[in-house]
Amino acid sequence: MSRAQHSGPVTASGTGPLTVPAQHSARDQGAARDRDLPRTHDASGPRDLIETPPAPRSPSGLADRRITVAVYASDPILHVGVVHQLRQRPEVELLDGARAAEARVSLVTVDSVDDETAALLRRLRHNSRTRTGLVVGTFESGDALQRAIDCGVTAVLRRAEADQDRLLRLVLAMANGEGVLPGDLLAKLLSHVGSLQRSTLDPQASSLSTLTQREADMLRLVSEGLDTAEIARTTSYSERTVKNVLHEVITRLELRNRTHAVGYALRNGLI
């Protein structure tokens, strides 16, 4: 009999044609599907390439916990110093340029709180996104400290103490809604506020708090016969600042002129 004429099943000896069963087992069907899937490889061996949506980013990731900080300074050297300290900390993300207004914390670094600094602090106070901290060289008086607080400053650090760890603690505290003020400055502020309250209750009572140290120094120089330019050179302030300070004294105490202001200060033992 020829091979073409044989229609029986395949035998153990291998004679007869190869026939495929009409039905497959579930296992064979699954294997067939697997063979049709595209495949890729990684270090652990082959795996099925199945499209799945990416996993959502964890809200507890480091990038989401970083505190955005903008640094303002009265000169480039101060700015570079603070930025260099904070840039090394993974907890902080520094913002500058147009993005500075989005910062959660604003750090203003200055020698002292002058008119220009106060203007900047007032602008930042109107930004509801940020909390403002001050890294300052010195406060000339309790009045200067009170002025900074009135301008929206919530934390203060002396510039001489502004190392990396203290700057970071200041930023973290501000981000948590806390206020920071060195103990001696807090005592100075409380003493100044107490003096203002006593002055309000008894406006005629003479008190050293009636004049700031800068005002008293300038009036003392006026009493010695120095003019505006000479006072500016002696105190290292601009002539414009000298004029503004003396005008503020005359206006606040309701006096007529510089001579009247000097006489008032002498009578009340203020200079």
Side-chain angles (χ1 to χ4, degrees):
M1 183 187 315
S2 69
R3 184 174 181 179
Q5 296 173 331
H6 184 73
S7 60
V10 177
T11 63
S13 62
T15 60
L18 179 63
T19 59
V20 180
Q23 296 181 345
H24 303 283
S25 67
R27 179 177 178 181
D28 292 335
Q29 292 174 354
R33 286 196 302 270
D34 289 347
R35 285 195 300 271
D36 294 335
L37 287 172
R39 304 177 75 80
T40 186
H41 293 76
D42 57 21
S44 61
R47 59 181 175 82
D48 294 336
L49 184 61
I50 302 175
E51 298 245 351
T52 56
R57 186 175 181 180
S58 171
S60 60
L62 177 61
D64 295 323
R65 295 201 307 268
R66 295 175 73 187
I67 300 168
T68 51
V69 177
V71 177
Y72 302 83
S74 56
D75 66 67
I77 294 178
L78 294 179
H79 185 273
V80 169
V82 174
V83 168
H84 175 72
Q85 297 281 14
L86 292 177
R87 181 170 286 154
Q88 305 175 49
R89 302 305 301 235
E91 302 93 337
V92 171
E93 178 185 1
L94 292 169
L95 303 182
D96 57 14
R99 296 192 62 203
E102 303 172 6
R104 189 174 174 187
V105 169
S106 294
L107 287 182
V108 177
T109 306
V110 293
D111 291 319
S112 61
V113 180
D114 55 14
D115 293 340
E116 184 178 354
T117 301
L120 171 60
L121 294 174
R122 284 192 291 269
R123 287 199 303 272
L124 292 173
R125 181 180 59 186
H126 295 303
N127 182 359
S128 59
R129 297 183 180 182
T130 193
R131 292 174 61 84
T132 304
L134 187 64
V135 182
V136 64
T138 182
F139 282 111
E140 298 173 353
S141 64
D143 181 68
L145 178 56
Q146 178 70 53
R147 187 182 190 187
I149 301 300
D150 291 342
C151 289
V153 170
T154 60
V156 175
L157 180 64
R158 284 193 175 87
R159 209 177 66 209
E161 301 172 351
D163 58 21
Q164 186 180 116
D165 290 336
R166 288 190 178 95
L167 280 170
L168 180 62
R169 285 199 294 269
L170 189 77
V171 167
L172 294 176
M174 293 172 65
N176 289 330
E178 301 171 8
V180 180
L181 194 64
D184 62 314
L185 290 183
L186 178 59
K188 179 183 289 189
L189 179 63
L190 293 174
S191 175
H192 177 71
V193 171
S195 297
L196 290 177
Q197 291 174 338
R198 289 191 298 272
S199 178
T200 301
L201 293 173
D202 185 4
Q204 301 302 319
S206 62
S207 168
L208 287 176
S209 67
T210 305
L211 297 177
T212 67
Q213 186 62 50
R214 180 169 66 172
E215 291 169 343
D217 290 342
M218 289 188 183
L219 280 179
R220 191 176 295 109
L221 293 174
V222 171
S223 71
E224 294 172 4
L226 276 66
D227 61 20
T228 300
E230 291 169 328
I231 294 173
R233 286 194 297 270
T234 302
T235 59
S236 298
Y237 289 110
S238 67
E239 292 186 30
R240 181 179 177 181
T241 298
V242 172
K243 292 178 181 177
N244 288 341
V245 169
L246 293 175
H247 177 73
E248 167 65 22
V249 173
I250 293 169
T251 301
R252 188 176 72 244
L253 299 180
E254 299 180 354
L255 304 171
R256 292 190 299 273
N257 50 41
R258 294 187 183 188
T259 302
H260 192 189
V262 169
Y264 175 89
L266 289 171
R267 285 195 306 273
N268 290 281
L270 302 179
I271 61 174

